[in-house]
């Protein structure tokens, strides 16, 4: 038995570390947290300093049992969980659950899994930091209390089975508020003027733009008509050197944003891949809000830049963290070894590693240097000046390795015309001839909807959440059905282009697609209704400043500046009173909205949330005649649907044609849209709109389903046609009455006789039934 037992969270990390330590050490994994708050209402005693009741989950009992045995046999137990609050809490739970003693326990931390880092940590152990433990406990307890007390309010006042969370509710509010900004936005048009000028020499064409925009077609065409008779000359030419500096190394937030922009990864996928890279010793710890690099890392980066690119590409930089409430002095995310430009691993691991390597190495490289030239061009009969810009790179510097991407909302230039890479030689008073001048109608754009990356950026700017919470927050709001991430088709819009070429002014009407969205976050109706209810009755919970202040208080607890139970008392007492008051006095929230009157019957048309989601209703529930109902389509929302759009929903079920001399009818059922034909039902595939589906598409769906069913059927029996042998997801099986019966591995499915099938069914009937799983009743 080894003298030392070292415990980490994950098996991958244990395997990596085990290779660095000698036979005196046994490295084991706790597989994350080994205990959690009990699921019942008595998990937290709010009357007794928020004392918690913990339990070891069933799936962790074997792990705990093994660790207890090994800890008793070892001379020293080393707790080596991560160096943040969550990691500190895991060490404390291990200490408590395994019944460890102070004199036989050491706590070590490291932010990279390399042999020097591990050995250095073992040389400088410390005790468990209870300030960090208390900060994590405060967060866990507060979030449990909010969830446990708010959820029953939502069940009573909005809809059963809903839940709420502190940070998640703020994230939903951001998305709901942004959606409303987009819906209220009215685009305005203005004309952008661009020109191509000629110096008179062959191929010396360049582009220029009018800084002003014209608000009307009349103003734009008046300017172009003036240009028809005008002379153009260079008024001034200015050249000046400019430079661009690299971005700092990655924090958790900036890695999530850049991996989303450059690689198309979701926030949770980025963190999962980064976790694997860290545990295999490829990168430093991936949950950090620091942009710092250690002296060792700076030295390694210097050597690599000088070797790979030359000394003129190196420029050492030390960055300071600007994020609100940045905590814990970790390093930024960087490669463990700068001389490894790439790694072995799957495709996604390689791509993320290379992104981290490029960002970290670029942060220590020289600035990129440019020469920017600006020329102003006068129009003889107008006061406006055209401006032409050109930029020439003089030294690429860090751009040799890496360029940071931008969010969608920063990419405001919708024109297809690119700028000038370089201007031809120009001098003051030089005459120019116009090649072409265009006035293009351009519309203002609404605020951009959030992507996962831009939502993380916003949460960080507001000081809400921490590196460890961004990914779970974004996953939770989607899993709860408050937010969906999806693509949406845009709508076509006409715009005008006037082109002056020679002495002719030509007008064209072109079409563009506007409002198309890709992988954006949209609130659902239930998300909007829950948000409005919380804003009305629990404004503190979803207030941005309040939530950010709570994060600051957690930081103060972590730094030993605040008592965690006092902080919880100051929050919980007024919050609990608010909960009781809301249950007694608040009205039910349905998000109901009246749309108008049905043109045919004159009955009221309304829209609201129901048990199975949002729906439109024609007529009153109390009226003698039963109301008619229709579910909203994907992408439609209670607060923006119009009466015309609502009435379209009642056109189902509708006949779409005939097939094999039988009618095909399209409708929407409990499990989604379908085609009914000859008594059989065929589901419409995702993306096929039941309102616009054609006869031909319905026929294809029916034939495709029949083909699949035919491939599924292996055999039927004349003795009993209801008994079938079918191909299933896990292989062939027998369908016998209401029972599905396994076929033994030594039997050939297609060769089975009816007598053999009957015998297998009788044998299955005699087998003892497995007891049904029991679930605790919801209180």
């Amino acid at each position: 038995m080894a003298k030392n037992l070292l415990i980490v969270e994950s098996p991958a990390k244990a395997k990596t570390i085990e290779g660095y330590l000698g036979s005196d050490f046994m490295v084991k994994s706790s597989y994350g947290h080994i205990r959690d708050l009990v699921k019942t209402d008595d998990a937290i005693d709010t009357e007794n300093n928020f004392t918690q009741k913990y339990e070891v989950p069933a799936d962790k009992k074997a792990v705990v049992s093994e660790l207890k045995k090994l800890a008793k046999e070892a001379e020293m137990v080393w707790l080596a969980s991560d160096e943040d609050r969550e990691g500190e809490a895991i060490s404390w739970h291990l200490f408590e659950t395994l019944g460890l003693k102070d004199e036989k326990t050491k706590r070590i931390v490291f932010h990279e899994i390399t042999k020097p880092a591990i050995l250095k940590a073992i040389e400088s152990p410390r005790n468990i930091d209870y300030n960090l433990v208390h900060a994590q406990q405060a967060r866990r307890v507060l979030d449990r209390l909010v969830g446990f007390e708010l959820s029953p309010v939502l069940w009573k006042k909005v809809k059963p089975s809903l839940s709420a969370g502190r940070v998640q509710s703020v994230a939903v509010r951001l998305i709901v508020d942004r959606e409303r900004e987009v819906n209220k936005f009215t685009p305005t048009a203005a004309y952008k003027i661009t020109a191509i000028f000629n110096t008179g020499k062959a191929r010396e064409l360049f582009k220029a733009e009018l800084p002003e925009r014209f608000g009307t077609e009349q103003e734009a065409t008046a300017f172009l008509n003036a240009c028809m008779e005008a002379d153009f000359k260079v008024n001034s030419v200015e050249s000046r050197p400019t430079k661009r500096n690299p971005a700092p190394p990655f924090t958790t937030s900036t890695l999530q944003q850049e991996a989303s922009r450059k690689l198309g990864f979701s926030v949770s996928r980025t963190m999962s891949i980064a976790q694997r890279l860290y545990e295999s010793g490829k990168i430093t710890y991936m949950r950090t809000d620091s942009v710092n690099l250690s002296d060792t890392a700076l030295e390694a980066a210097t050597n690599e830049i000088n070797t790979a690119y030359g000394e003129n590409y190196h420029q050492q930089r030390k960055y300071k963290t600007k994020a609100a409430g940045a905590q814990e002095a970790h390093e930024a995310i960087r490669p463990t070894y700068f001389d490894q430009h790439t790694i072995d691993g799957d495709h996604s691991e390689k791509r993320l590693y290379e992104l981290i390597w490029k960002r970290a190495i670029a942060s220590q490289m020289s600035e990129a240097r440019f020469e920017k030239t600006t020329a102003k061009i006068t129009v003889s009969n107008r006061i406006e000046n055209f401006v032409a810009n050109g930029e020439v790179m003089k030294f690429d510097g860090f751009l040799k390795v890496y360029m940071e991407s931008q969010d969608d909302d920063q990419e405001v230039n919708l024109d297809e015309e690119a700028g000038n890479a370089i201007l031809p030689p120009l001098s003051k008073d030089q005459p120019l001839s116009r090649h072409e001048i265009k006035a293009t109608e351009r519309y203002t754009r609404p605020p951009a909807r959030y992507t996962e990356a831009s939502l993380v950026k916003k949460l960080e700017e507001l000081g809400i959440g921490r590196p460890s919470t961004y990914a779970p927050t974004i996953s939770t709001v989607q899993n709860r059905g408050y937010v969906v991430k999806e693509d949406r088709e845009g709508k076509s819009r006409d715009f005008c282009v006037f082109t002056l070429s020679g002495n002719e002014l030509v007008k064209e009407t072109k079409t563009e697609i506007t409002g198309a969205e890709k992988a954006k976050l949209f609130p659902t109706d239930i998300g909007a209704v829950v948000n409005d209810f919380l804003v009305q009755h629990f404004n503190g919970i979803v207030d941005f400043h309040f939530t950010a202040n709570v994060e600051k208080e957690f930081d103060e607890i972590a730094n030993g500046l605040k008592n965690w139970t006092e902080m919880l008392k100051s929050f919980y007492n007024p919050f609990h009173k608010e909960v009781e008051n809301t249950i007694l006095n608040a009205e039910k929230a349905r998000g109901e909205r009246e749309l108008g009157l049905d043109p045919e019957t004159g009955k009221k048309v309304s829209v609201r949330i129901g048990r199975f989601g949002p729906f439109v209703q024609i007529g009153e529930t109390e009226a003698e005649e039963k109301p008619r109902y229709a579910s909203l389509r994907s992408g439609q929302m209670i607060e923006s649907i119009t009466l015309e759009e609502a009435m379209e929903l009642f056109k189902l079920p509708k006949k779409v044609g005939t097939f094999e001399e039988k009618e095909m009818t399209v409708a929407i059922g409990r499990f989604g849209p379908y085609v009914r034909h000859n008594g059989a039902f065929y589901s419409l595939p995702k993306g096929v709109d039941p309102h616009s589906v054609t006869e031909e598409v319905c026929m294809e769906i029916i034939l495709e389903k029949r083909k699949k069913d035919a491939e599924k059927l292996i055999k039927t029996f004349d003795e009993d046609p209801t008994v079938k042998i079918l191909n299933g997801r896990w292989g062939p099986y027998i369908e016998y009455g209401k029972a599905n019966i396994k076929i033994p591995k030594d039997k050939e499915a297609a060769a089975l006789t009816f007598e053999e099938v009957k015998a297998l069914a009788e044998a299955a009937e005699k087998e003892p039934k497995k007891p049904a799983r029991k679930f605790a009743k919801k209180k």
Side-chain angles (χ1 to χ4, degrees):
M1 173 65 204
K3 292 179 185 177
N4 298 280
L5 173 66
L6 189 140
I7 306 174
V8 293
E9 293 111 317
S10 79
K13 197 192 292 188
K15 191 178 177 184
T16 308
I17 292 171
E18 203 161 36
Y20 300 142
L21 300 171
S23 57
D24 280 353
F25 277 84
M26 177 184 280
V27 185
K28 286 288 177 183
S29 167
S30 70
Y31 295 85
H33 276 281
I34 57 160
R35 67 175 186 176
D36 197 6
L37 292 168
V38 297
K39 299 284 188 282
T40 49
D41 290 349
D42 60 346
I44 299 156
D45 188 349
T46 54
E47 304 295 323
N48 186 22
N49 266 346
F50 301 94
T51 308
Q52 300 120 61
K53 189 186 283 188
Y54 289 100
E55 67 178 352
V56 176
D59 62 335
K60 288 295 175 71
K61 285 186 176 171
V63 175
V64 169
S65 178
E66 185 195 13
L67 291 176
K68 267 186 182 175
K69 180 176 175 290
L70 294 172
K72 276 183 185 175
E73 294 169 0
E75 291 178 17
M76 184 63 66
V77 178
W78 302 76
L79 302 175
S81 49
D82 291 338
E83 57 176 334
D84 55 11
R85 294 173 193 167
E86 204 68 31
E88 206 68 26
I90 287 173
S91 280
W92 173 69
H93 284 302
L94 283 165
F95 185 86
E96 295 273 310
T97 310
L98 303 182
L100 303 179
K101 300 284 187 285
D102 284 326
E103 62 275 10
K104 271 189 66 178
T105 308
K106 290 181 179 178
R107 168 85 171 112
I108 59 168
V109 293
F110 39 83
H111 65 268
E112 65 183 35
I113 302 176
T114 60
K115 190 170 184 177
I118 304 300
L119 295 177
K120 188 179 176 184
I122 285 172
E123 286 168 15
S124 50
R126 62 168 172 80
N127 294 324
I128 291 171
D129 185 337
Y130 282 92
N131 290 330
L132 292 179
V133 173
H134 291 154
Q136 192 274 344
Q137 275 184 297
R139 176 189 285 280
R140 184 78 184 88
V141 168
L142 191 144
D143 287 348
R144 168 61 76 90
L145 290 172
V146 168
F148 258 54
E149 300 222 354
L150 271 189
S151 298
V153 179
L154 296 178
W155 303 342
K156 286 187 174 76
K157 302 297 180 180
V158 184
K159 185 173 170 274
S161 302
L162 295 177
S163 57
R166 189 178 54 87
V167 178
Q168 294 94 317
S169 297
V170 175
V172 173
R173 183 177 184 180
L174 283 168
I175 293 162
V176 170
D177 288 353
R178 179 57 56 89
E179 189 67 22
R180 286 172 178 162
E181 285 177 58
V182 172
N183 290 337
K184 284 177 186 172
F185 182 82
T186 305
T188 56
Y191 283 84
K192 177 181 179 176
I193 312 294
T194 55
I196 298 175
F197 290 109
N198 195 330
T199 64
K201 291 183 182 177
R203 296 190 177 181
E204 283 198 350
L205 296 172
F206 66 94
K207 291 170 185 170
E209 188 178 319
L210 214 63
E212 302 90 349
R213 294 202 178 191
F214 295 115
T216 64
E217 180 181 317
Q218 290 74 19
E219 289 172 313
T221 52
F223 178 82
L224 293 179
N225 283 319
C227 287
M228 204 180 288
E229 306 297 328
D231 295 318
F232 303 91
K233 70 176 181 180
V234 178
N235 184 41
S236 65
V237 182
E238 281 183 23
S239 290
R240 57 189 175 87
T242 61
K243 61 183 181 179
R244 199 178 302 167
N245 288 313
F250 282 130
T251 61
T252 303
S253 160
T254 54
L255 175 64
Q256 289 168 349
Q257 291 169 51
E258 195 72 337
S260 173
R261 299 184 197 115
K262 273 191 158 62
L263 309 178
F265 290 176
S266 68
V267 167
S268 58
R269 186 180 177 197
T270 297
M271 292 312 290
S272 173
I273 298 165
Q275 179 95 30
R276 296 203 299 271
L277 292 174
Y278 167 64
E279 289 175 352
S280 58
K282 304 290 195 310
I283 63 169
T284 54
Y285 192 52
M286 66 289 154
R287 279 191 273 275
T288 175
D289 46 24
S290 169
V291 288
N292 242 346
L293 290 178
S294 67
D295 291 340
T296 310
L298 292 173
E299 188 183 333
T302 302
N303 292 336
E304 189 54 33
I305 293 164
N306 290 344
T307 304
Y309 308 109
E311 291 183 15
N312 58 329
Y313 278 92
H314 175 251
Q315 184 179 334
Q316 191 174 102
R317 289 182 176 82
K318 292 194 176 181
Y319 296 90
K320 288 189 177 176
T321 302
K322 294 177 184 174
Q327 63 170 36
E328 289 130 358
H330 300 148
E331 262 195 280
I333 304 168
R334 63 165 174 84
T336 313
Y337 304 104
F338 277 96
D339 59 352
Q340 291 184 4
H341 295 214
T342 187
I343 56 160
D344 293 328
D346 66 32
H347 185 57
S348 56
E349 287 170 356
K350 283 182 178 178
R351 292 176 76 201
L352 190 66
Y353 176 84
E354 284 164 18
L355 187 69
I356 292 166
W357 183 88
K358 286 175 180 177
R359 176 82 165 222
I361 206 88
S363 75
Q364 298 304 308
M365 290 177 74
S366 308
E367 61 203 18
R369 295 194 295 275
F370 302 86
E371 184 174 80
K372 188 170 185 179
T373 305
T374 304
K376 289 187 178 175
I377 298 145
T378 58
V379 185
S380 60
N381 54 4
R382 297 284 297 202
I383 59 168
E384 297 89 354
N385 285 337
F386 281 97
V387 176
N389 289 306
E391 192 173 66
V392 180
M393 185 188 287
K394 293 294 186 183
F395 178 64
D396 54 358
F398 76 93
L399 292 175
K400 194 173 193 72
V401 173
Y402 177 82
M403 181 184 284
E404 188 176 20
S405 297
Q406 290 186 321
D407 286 318
D408 289 348
D409 55 345
Q410 292 175 306
E411 295 168 3
V412 292
N413 183 14
L414 298 177
D415 282 340
E416 61 278 10
E417 299 96 342
N420 303 292
I422 185 169
L423 289 174
L426 298 172
S427 57
K428 185 172 167 56
D429 296 329
Q430 179 180 349
L432 300 169
S433 58
R434 61 176 169 81
H435 179 72
E436 180 182 271
I437 302 178
K438 280 188 177 184
T440 306
E441 188 179 23
R442 282 292 171 224
Y443 288 85
T444 51
R445 296 199 305 163
R449 289 183 174 92
Y450 288 108
T451 59
E452 287 194 2
S454 60
L455 182 60
V456 166
K457 187 178 181 182
K458 186 66 177 177
L459 290 169
E460 186 180 40
E461 282 172 6
L462 293 169
I464 294 165
R466 285 297 179 261
S468 60
T469 64
Y470 301 133
T473 296
I474 288 171
S475 296
T476 301
V477 297
Q478 292 177 66
N479 294 339
R480 286 181 175 170
Y482 295 155
V483 171
V484 291
K485 181 171 83 169
E486 61 188 24
D487 302 343
R488 297 230 176 136
E489 290 181 4
K491 294 177 182 175
S492 60
R493 174 173 66 192
D494 292 340
F495 67 98
C496 293
V497 180
F498 293 90
T499 305
L500 174 62
S501 184
N503 289 322
E504 192 179 5
L505 183 60
V506 178
K507 179 182 180 180
E508 285 180 276
T509 300
K510 295 187 175 182
T511 303
E512 64 183 355
I513 299 297
T514 178
E517 301 283 25
K518 188 164 181 63
K520 293 290 178 72
L521 298 173
F522 297 86
T524 61
D525 280 304
I526 195 66
V529 170
V530 168
N531 172 72
D532 292 348
F533 182 83
L534 293 176
V535 168
Q536 183 182 351
H537 299 286
F538 298 93
N539 193 44
I541 294 294
V542 288
D543 179 78
F544 305 134
H545 300 296
F546 168 80
T547 310
N549 284 335
V550 168
E551 297 290 353
K552 285 179 187 170
E553 289 186 281
F554 292 149
D555 292 342
E556 288 170 5
I557 294 165
N559 293 319
L561 303 173
K562 190 163 227 170
N563 181 286
W564 73 283
T565 55
E566 292 302 318
M567 177 261 174
L568 286 173
K569 277 178 195 168
S570 65
F571 166 84
Y572 179 72
N573 293 336
F575 168 69
H576 184 65
K577 283 176 186 168
E578 220 170 10
V579 168
E580 290 179 327
N581 181 49
T582 305
I583 286 175
L584 285 173
N585 302 315
E587 291 182 1
K588 262 203 144 184
R590 295 179 182 273
E592 190 165 357
R593 181 171 157 250
E594 284 189 27
L595 300 179
L597 300 176
D598 175 11
E600 286 185 19
T601 64
K603 291 179 181 178
K604 186 177 84 171
V605 180
S606 60
V607 60
R608 68 170 187 269
I609 290 283
R611 190 176 172 191
F612 300 111
F615 67 92
V616 180
Q617 177 176 321
I618 299 178
E620 303 280 359
T621 311
E622 298 80 19
E624 282 184 30
E625 194 178 341
K626 199 176 176 184
R628 292 170 65 202
Y629 304 101
S631 296
L632 267 61
R633 295 161 72 178
S634 174
Q636 290 181 325
M637 286 195 72
I638 284 175
E639 58 193 64
S640 58
I641 191 172
T642 63
L643 177 63
E644 292 73 24
E645 289 167 339
M647 297 315 297
E648 279 287 315
L649 300 173
F650 289 94
K651 291 183 177 177
L652 294 180
K654 69 170 183 177
K655 294 170 187 173
V656 289
T658 58
F659 176 52
E660 296 172 347
E661 299 181 354
K662 295 280 193 308
E663 276 186 352
M664 293 183 292
T665 306
V666 173
I668 296 177
R670 187 177 171 189
F671 302 108
Y674 63 87
V675 183
R676 184 173 183 176
H677 176 257
N678 196 21
F681 298 86
Y682 304 86
S683 293
L684 292 189
K686 195 174 181 183
V688 176
D689 187 346
H691 293 267
S692 58
V693 68
T694 62
E695 182 180 28
E696 290 74 20
V697 171
C698 288
M699 287 161 60
E700 284 172 19
I701 290 166
I702 292 167
L703 291 170
E704 182 65 26
K705 177 73 165 55
R706 284 181 184 175
K707 186 184 171 192
K708 282 184 180 174
D709 288 348
E711 289 168 355
K712 186 180 177 184
L713 182 67
I714 296 173
K715 191 173 185 179
T716 57
F717 299 93
D718 294 336
E719 294 91 334
D720 187 345
T722 64
V723 177
K724 298 170 188 171
I725 300 178
L726 303 169
N727 250 323
R729 190 177 173 189
W730 314 113
Y733 68 96
I734 300 162
E735 188 182 272
Y736 196 96
K738 291 183 179 179
N740 292 337
I741 298 152
K742 277 185 181 180
I743 296 173
K745 288 181 181 177
D746 60 341
K747 300 279 186 186
E748 178 65 41
L752 286 171
T753 64
F754 183 71
E755 286 69 27
E756 287 173 316
V757 166
K758 195 174 176 184
L760 287 171
E762 287 169 359
E765 183 68 30
K766 289 174 186 173
E767 280 181 15
K769 296 284 185 289
K770 288 182 182 177
R773 288 177 67 188
K774 289 184 180 178
F775 296 94
K777 285 183 181 177
K778 201 175 266 184
K779 292 196 176 183

